[in-house]
Amino acid sequence: QKLSALILLNFALHNNLKCKIVEEGWTNLLTTMQKSNCRDAKNLAVLVLDQLVDVATSEEIREKKHDIGIEGMLGLCKNDDLIVKKFALNSLAEEIWFDQEKQIEVVTFGGIETILNICNDTTTPDDVLISALWVIRNITYSNSEVKSSLGNSQAVKTLMKIIGRSGALHPNKTHILECTLTALTNLVIDHEKNC
């Protein structure tokens, strides 16, 4: 029972999986665990049920992101809390993908400097760095104006440094290398000045 509750707790940390737990009837198991002789199973079941109370719909999440806006997300990217920073970067990458107006907003609100500072900081954890690289990848998608702004901000040099730090000498960093190369490709494709 303890292991089942622990697995469900892991699932309950993700909004889209919370709905699945409820839809699939796992709440019955959690309720049954309340009568368990195993105190750990009981406590974990309570934690899962507490997590399930806060289920937001996809529409609610979209509205919250819209309310925060690009400027607000960029502010959260400067947060010292790495979880908040990663969430903000992922949300930003999602918001700007295929949306040239939002891509320009990032430039307008000083987002290029914010993102490049994260990339240039050698203490940035890998998962946060990957999220920042996805922002660069998405912001440069079919947008020559943003590519120019990034080029003027030495983004190519920044990405080359990341490649140097995560290259062949560090085989456990291949995921960073792949993300960096993807961002670099978007930055230079159809933009000679950045080459």
Side-chain angles (χ1 to χ4, degrees):
Q1 286 182 333
K2 179 181 173 184
L3 183 58
S4 297
L6 192 57
I7 291 169
L8 288 172
L9 180 60
N10 261 330
F11 287 160
L13 297 176
H14 304 281
N15 195 62
N16 58 334
L17 295 177
K18 288 179 185 180
C19 297
K20 283 287 186 198
I21 292 171
V22 173
E23 289 169 8
E24 299 295 325
W26 288 100
T27 51
N28 293 336
L29 174 65
L30 294 166
T31 306
T32 304
M33 283 184 193
Q34 299 300 305
K35 300 173 190 167
S36 174
N37 292 332
C38 177
R39 187 177 61 204
D40 289 339
K42 259 188 215 182
N43 292 338
L44 285 169
V46 169
L47 287 173
V48 174
L49 291 170
D50 285 344
Q51 286 291 320
L52 294 178
V53 171
D54 186 31
V55 176
T57 65
S58 297
E59 184 61 33
E60 288 173 325
I61 292 171
R62 268 192 299 279
E63 285 176 20
K64 286 178 183 175
K65 285 181 185 176
H66 179 75
D67 291 345
I68 292 173
I70 299 297
E71 187 175 17
M73 281 188 238
L74 287 168
L76 292 174
C77 289
K78 297 175 186 175
N79 196 298
D80 290 335
D81 185 320
L82 295 175
I83 293 170
V84 171
K85 185 179 290 194
K86 183 180 175 185
F87 173 79
L89 288 164
N90 288 337
S91 297
L92 187 61
E94 187 179 304
E95 284 293 307
I96 61 177
W97 182 242
F98 288 120
D99 191 330
Q100 290 194 341
E101 286 180 22
K102 289 183 180 177
Q103 292 167 350
I104 298 298
E105 277 185 62
V106 172
V107 175
T108 303
F109 293 123
I112 289 176
E113 182 182 347
T114 300
I115 303 307
L116 291 179
N117 285 342
I118 293 168
C119 292
N120 281 317
D121 182 353
T122 57
T123 64
T124 298
D126 291 355
D127 58 335
V128 175
L129 177 59
I130 287 169
S131 296
L133 291 167
W134 284 123
V135 171
I136 293 173
R137 172 195 175 262
N138 290 357
I139 198 173
T140 55
Y141 185 80
S142 296
N143 194 323
S144 60
E145 185 179 337
V146 173
K147 288 180 185 189
S148 292
S149 295
L150 274 160
N152 293 337
S153 298
Q154 304 297 311
V156 173
K157 187 184 254 183
T158 295
L159 295 173
M160 295 305 290
K161 284 180 186 176
I162 295 170
I163 289 170
R165 293 193 313 249
S166 59
L169 298 176
H170 304 284
N172 58 338
K173 303 261 185 188
T174 55
H175 54 289
I176 293 173
L177 184 59
E178 289 170 10
C179 292
T180 308
L181 289 172
T182 303
L184 184 60
T185 301
N186 265 13
L187 182 59
V188 300
I189 201 163
D190 296 328
H191 199 278
E192 255 182 64
K193 187 178 175 191
N194 286 344
C195 294

